[in-house]
Every structure is written in C-alpha cells, then in structure tokens.
Amino acid sequence: MSANEYLPFLSEVKEVIKHTAIEYTFRMSCEHEVKPGQFFEVSIPKYGEAPISVSGTGDGTIDLTIRRVGRVTNEIFERYAGDSLFLRGPYGNGFNVDDYRGKELVVIAGGTGLSPVRGLVDHFARNPRETDGMTLIAGFKSPADILFADDLSRWEKTINVILTVDSAGESSGYRVGLVTGYIPELRLKAPEKAAAIVVGPPAMMKFSTLGLIESGFREENIWISQERKMCCGIGKCGHCKIGSAYVCLDGPVFNYVQGKKLID
C-alpha cells in the first residue's frame, strides 16, 4: 500500500525570530532536502492548513517566515520554541542555483517576496565568486516593515543591495520609492546575458519584469514566483490551477516565458 500523500509529519519549533508585529520566522526541525522557493503546508489540527514558502535552510532545520493574516496563522503565532507544528512537503520546483551561476544576477523582491528568495540570495552572498556580480533590490512599505534586517546588513558586504521603502520620514536615511525606479540605474556588463528573479505582489512583478526587458534582459533569463493559494500541494484539488498549469507542481517558480502566460 502506498503512503498517504496528505499525511504530515511533526516538526519541532526550534526558534522564533520576530521581524515585525505580524511577521515572524519559525525555525523548524526538518531533515528533508529543500530548495529555495519551495513551500510546505503547515497545519494545526482543528484550525486548518496554510502554504508557507521556505525562507532558509540550516543543519536539520528550515525557516518558515509567516505573516499573521488569518485563522491558521493566528494560531501558529501562539507557538514558541519547544512547541510543534505539522508539516507536509516540500512541494513545488523552487529555484535552481545552477541557473544563475557565472552570470550577472539581479533579484527584485517586494515585501514578503524576499522570503522565498532569501536562501538563494544568502547562497550567492556567501559565495560571491559564483556570479559575475549580483544586485538585490528589496522594497518594503516602511522601515517598520523591513524583513531580515540582519541579513540585509550582512549581504551588502559582498553584493550590491538596494533597500527602498514606499514612505519614510525625511531624516530616516532610507531610499524612498518603488523598486521599479531603480531598474534603469543598473549598470550591467551585458544585460542580454544577465539573469533576473522577481518575486512580490502581482503588479510589482508585472512592471518590474517589463522594466528589466526594457533594460535589455531577455525573457528567457527572467524567473518569477507566483503567489497562489496552494491547498493540496500535489495537483489534486485544482485550487492553484491557472490554464493548464498547477502552481503547486509546475511552480511556484516559473521562467518568465511560461509565467507571463499564466493569466486567470
């Protein structure tokens, strides 16, 4: 008899890292091999299940950065180190590090869109010689909404980090403006050979990808990650189906050549 694909495993909360009032990272015990951009279904009996992107991996752990937005996540936020959650996964295709090695790489992330690419950015920030130069453009609503502040400070020592907020006080010291405003400022050796990753709200991804193409990027060298309600994770329920694609199976990471066609 085959194993029940819907059966979760119990995972211990190793650490809870608070970023903002409504966004925490839960460091969970996990021995699975996981790629950046994949996701897990996180569940609590009687409350339900929610898809959460992997925001980092460690020795026997994974990071799940969660925003408190509803019934399931409200209950997750009542868990502390030593407590447990049920997990299913990992699901989805994730980002393939080999797609970006040796290339100039630009990563554009809006808000919580930094979570699914955090592992990839961290890899290349720790191994800067694996790319031909890397820029991260990360945008948040305000200074109070910035995620992974310690990581951003560390990354800027080895890669070019452009951190911007939508609004801030005059003396805040932060760049103010949309992430798209910084795309024309990119100084790349050969944009037609460079690679880019864009993750964030749909409108931000649309105009960021258009801006990259206008700057000389080829569509086949751009990757996006679709935000979509993924319920079963195994392509059975159909909630994440767009056209002929199942985001939980074929994504959530798509090359832009395919991703641009995924319109409801």
Side-chain angles (χ1 to χ4, degrees), residues 5 38 63 91 97 148 187 244:
E5 293 181 281
Q38 290 188 299
D63 288 353
Y91 296 125
V97 172
F148 312 120
R187 297 293 179 262
S244 61

Side-chain angles (χ1 to χ4, degrees), residues 4 8 12 14 17 27 31 65-66 78-79 85 97 111 130 135 144 148 180 189 222 226 229 248 252 257:
N4 186 340
E12 182 183 351
K14 294 295 187 180
I17 304 163
R27 185 156 291 160
E31 297 296 336
T65 301
I66 301 173
E78 297 301 318
R79 268 44 181 183
L85 295 168
V97 172
E130 290 190 12
T135 295
F148 312 120
T180 49
K189 303 169 190 174
I222 301 174
Q226 290 279 10
K229 178 63 173 176
C248 68
V257 172

Side-chain angles (χ1 to χ4, degrees), residues 137-140 163-168 174-182:
I137 305 176
F140 298 91
L163 175 61
T164 181
V165 295
D166 294 346
S167 61
Y174 287 95
R175 295 183 177 95
V176 176
L178 301 178
V179 293
T180 49
Y182 295 90

